[in-house]
Amino acid sequence: DLIEAAGLQVVLDLHGTVGGESGATPCGRQFPEWHFSMWDVDASLAALRIIAERYAGRRCVCGVGVCNEPCMSVPFRLLAAYYEAAVDTVRGAGMRAGEVTVLLPVFTEWRAPELFAYWEASYPNFEDCAFDLHLYQCFGTYWSTFSFAGHLRAASARAALLQSLPASCISEWSVCLPGGVTRGVREEARLEMYRHFGAQQLQAYTAASHGWFFWTWKDSAGVDWNMRDCLRRGVFEVPRAADHGAAEKGRMKL
């Protein structure tokens, strides 16, 4: 009620499915022995149905994410089947297309081509859905090989990825860079690096039809994960609604 009174919008997210969608901490626990067969799809859909039924009809709810970061080891056919069943579940629970966008995670971004091909073949089943991406450049050995200039080019190049998708939302991004890029750099110079990195990302993300979310609003890990501190220290500014790719279809205008 308070959110609606304030004129804000909410995207609900099933951040950890039943049984886990990976063995990594972002889905709720770290379990190195996790296998995709442990993901209880039926129980996950049941949980999704409860949430969708509870909040169907609330005007502040403009989107719902059906999972968080499914492991790359999950066979594509199983992931696609879950997404299709999740859309049916959300719609059947009363969250209608044109009122609530269903977010389908593309994780990692390297899976975008196969998910897009499936989307094209099954488009009638995905009305008012959007691909959900988490775009970071700080995790894994791949990004540690980039120079700062390389990170700027990679951030800018993501515009092409977003333009290739029919609908997209970046539900997580930050200005964090691998330690090797910022190690030994004085604070003000590091903030200036974040400013350039953030500016390149924000420019690319104008191609996201359903906007973006910085991860996160407040975090003790440092300014690179803390949007409140980024704003206070001039790392970036929140663009006006007219400046970014707000969705023209439906009510999800982030």
Side-chain angles (χ1 to χ4, degrees), residues 14 39-49 52 64 66-67 76-93 102-104 118 122 125-126 129:
L14 185 60
W39 183 352
D40 191 333
V41 169
D42 290 338
S44 299
L45 293 172
L48 192 61
R49 180 178 297 106
V64 57
V66 301
C67 62
F76 173 71
R77 59 181 179 81
L78 296 182
L79 186 61
Y82 172 73
Y83 285 172
E84 193 161 345
V87 173
D88 287 343
T89 297
V90 170
R91 299 304 182 214
V102 180
L103 300 180
L104 309 175
Y118 179 74
S122 310
N125 299 326
F126 295 105
C129 293

